[in-house]
Amino acid sequence: DNSVLSAQGYIIGRKPGSFSVRAEKISSLMGGIYYKFSLSMNRDSTLWMGEGADLFKLSKNGKSMLAHLVLKEPLKCFYVDPLDRLWIGGQNGGLFRLNKNDSIPKLSVRVATDGIQIIHQETHNTFLLGTRRGLFRFDILSKKLEEIGNFKNVTIRSFHTSTEGTWITTYGNGFY
């Protein structure tokens, strides 16, 4: 099935055995979570969503809640890495890691900014952390945090990695 589940709880895709498209609400639970800007999927297709400091793990169809955690700070974004660890960007600049079998996210680093907007895995051991005031590189093993100077006071919107490198889009300052 090539359907897509939206953060609002709608499944969108082709009707089975047909060329017509369906858009059907299947999860009122997802629809009840106000903050819909970050949704991440584990390898087993379970989902992470959150609102404020509340983090929810949902079934793969979004119909049931599997876990509810309360974080130490409000969340802004998520990223699930290839090792199935959930990385959480906090509103106050914290980057938290939740290992698959853990029940409490652990602080990995704190970025001196107004919050992590987006997380991107640059290499096996490094992340790019986009904020409203710049771009940072974090080495998971050494815990070293480096500010990338060319992006100071720039709001980072998204990342895309291709064979040619990583593209970075910003709000109002173009793309690189």
Side-chain angles (χ1 to χ4, degrees), residues 150-161:
N150 296 351
F151 294 93
K152 196 171 187 85
N153 295 318
V154 172
T155 300
I156 306 300
R157 181 177 179 165
S158 67
F159 300 104
H160 174 74
T161 298

Side-chain angles (χ1 to χ4, degrees), residues 109-120:
V109 71
R110 186 162 298 279
V111 178
T113 183
D114 59 350
I116 298 172
Q117 302 285 109
I118 187 164
I119 302 167
H120 179 74

Side-chain angles (χ1 to χ4, degrees), residues 14-170:
R14 193 180 307 172
K15 289 182 182 175
S18 168
F19 287 106
S20 56
V21 174
R22 71 176 175 160
E24 174 185 353
K25 186 166 189 157
I26 65 164
S27 173
S28 58
L29 177 64
M30 291 176 76
I33 298 171
Y34 177 75
Y35 185 80
K36 297 182 181 9
F37 299 105
S38 196
L39 174 71
S40 289
M41 185 169 57
N42 292 319
R43 291 172 155 239
D44 65 1
S45 297
T46 54
L47 305 167
W48 291 102
M49 285 185 78
E51 180 174 15
D54 293 307
L55 176 65
F56 307 103
K57 184 177 184 181
L58 306 176
S59 61
K60 55 181 144 185
N61 62 10
K63 290 183 179 181
S64 56
M65 188 181 312
L66 305 176
H68 174 206
L69 306 172
V70 179
L71 305 177
K72 294 181 180 183
E73 69 182 79
L75 55 88
K76 295 290 283 180
C77 62
F78 314 118
Y79 174 75
V80 177
D81 72 15
L83 299 176
D84 230 12
R85 297 176 294 195
L86 177 67
W87 295 86
I88 305 158
Q91 184 173 308
N92 301 328
L95 177 66
F96 299 87
R97 183 189 75 235
L98 181 65
N99 293 326
K100 187 174 183 175
N101 297 318
D102 290 348
S103 60
I104 299 172
K106 294 176 179 67
L107 180 66
S108 292
V109 71
R110 186 162 298 279
V111 178
T113 183
D114 59 350
I116 298 172
Q117 302 285 109
I118 187 164
I119 302 167
H120 179 74
Q121 190 156 13
E122 182 180 38
T123 69
H124 183 70
N125 293 321
T126 60
F127 284 125
L128 293 175
L129 307 174
T131 74
R132 291 192 342 198
R133 297 182 197 261
L135 178 62
F136 298 82
R137 180 177 285 119
F138 175 64
D139 186 298
I140 298 168
L141 298 177
S142 71
K143 306 262 191 222
K144 180 183 174 191
L145 182 68
E146 165 193 11
E147 184 172 11
I148 299 175
N150 296 351
F151 294 93
K152 196 171 187 85
N153 295 318
V154 172
T155 300
I156 306 300
R157 181 177 179 165
S158 67
F159 300 104
H160 174 74
T161 298
S162 70
T163 55
E164 298 170 354
T166 299
W167 290 90
I168 301 166
T169 61
T170 68

